[in-house]
Amino acid sequence: MIDTVIDKNLAEPFWSRVRTALGALRPTTRDAQPDSSQPVIARAMGMRPKLGAPIEAALVGGWTSAAAGHVSLSLLVIEIDRMHDYLGAYGKPAADDCVGSVMRAIAQNLPRPGDVCLLWGTATFVIVLPDLPVLMARASAAKIHDAIRHLGLAHKESHVGGVTVSMGLAVSNPRGNYDRKFFQTGLDALKKAQRKGLGRVETIDLRPAQERKRKKSA
């Protein structure tokens, strides 16, 4: 394939022909790529995706606040199921509308007025919840699921026929400086939910292990 492209343009300089050949093998526009979510692509490649400044600030602030008050910290990581297929089936404008509708539904069903839903990539949402009991965090996740289902957004590439989200809930009793591994725990919970199907919620509670470790070191 590459040789064919190069042979067609023998009059061109060598590196120009190489660039032309490589360009022929990759999408020419962002819309040609079914999934433009950088976090999703990075995770698929086994890389650690970067967080934006607002998410980093929310995580550090939530951790610091919970550590100072000796209370728990909950983290919800939410991702629209099969967004890759949705984008391919409906196109980018419809996908943008879908993400906007889902984000509004999440924001309208957060447990407290000061809680914020932050967009990460194109189809993932991050919610930092300091000083929120885990039972309330789970109840909020269930409420968000219901709100998204009631949107009635069609998804012909999903076997359930509509847009759903998977959620990972991580819970910690923070101490000291912010631990970056906490966000990875939220991602691990999300992946666990996604492995079990669509529209699932999975929780990873770090508190029992943290408590055992602190007792050993006391």
Side-chain angles (χ1 to χ4, degrees):
M1 180 71 174
I2 293 178
D3 290 341
T4 302
V5 176
I6 292 175
D7 288 345
K8 285 181 179 178
N9 300 280
L10 291 175
E12 294 182 18
F14 174 76
W15 288 112
S16 176
R17 288 183 278 127
V18 170
R19 285 194 293 271
T20 301
L22 293 175
L25 297 177
R26 60 175 177 262
T28 56
T29 65
R30 181 177 295 182
D31 290 349
Q33 302 178 42
D35 190 350
S36 60
S37 173
Q38 292 305 314
V40 173
I41 292 172
R43 293 204 304 274
M45 296 174 64
M47 298 167 57
R48 178 174 294 178
K50 292 183 179 179
L51 296 175
I55 295 176
E56 286 276 11
L59 286 164
V60 173
W63 183 279
T64 303
S65 173
H70 294 278
V71 295
S72 63
L73 174 65
S74 293
L75 169 68
L76 267 175
V77 184
I78 304 172
E79 193 162 275
I80 300 175
D81 293 322
R82 301 192 64 174
M83 194 60 188
H84 173 106
D85 298 320
Y86 188 98
L87 185 55
Y90 296 98
K92 192 172 186 304
D96 289 343
D97 289 343
C98 172
V99 171
S101 296
V102 169
M103 189 169 186
R104 283 190 294 273
I106 294 172
Q108 290 166 3
N109 288 278
L110 293 177
R112 301 167 300 197
D115 295 328
V116 177
C117 174
L118 297 168
L119 180 63
W120 183 43
T122 59
T124 309
F125 310 91
V126 177
I127 305 160
V128 181
L129 300 166
D131 197 12
L132 186 73
V134 66
L135 290 179
M136 288 186 65
R138 287 174 178 158
S140 296
K143 190 176 179 182
I144 290 169
H145 265 304
D146 289 340
I148 292 170
R149 186 169 62 251
H150 288 150
L151 289 175
L153 298 173
H155 190 340
K156 64 184 180 181
E157 297 299 324
S158 170
H159 66 262
V160 300
V163 170
T164 57
V165 296
S166 293
M167 301 188 190
L169 173 62
V171 187
S172 176
N173 278 337
R175 297 291 185 272
N177 295 329
Y178 170 60
D179 184 353
R180 292 179 180 274
K181 294 179 182 177
F182 181 57
F183 183 76
Q184 183 59 49
T185 302
L187 279 184
D188 291 342
L190 172 63
K191 288 184 229 178
K192 186 177 178 182
Q194 291 171 329
R195 285 194 296 268
K196 292 189 174 182
L198 304 178
R200 303 297 185 98
V201 182
E202 288 292 331
T203 303
I204 297 179
D205 193 339
L206 299 173
R207 294 174 301 171
Q210 289 171 335
E211 189 60 29
R212 288 193 297 270
K213 184 178 179 181
R214 285 164 189 157
K215 284 182 178 179
K216 285 183 180 179
S217 60

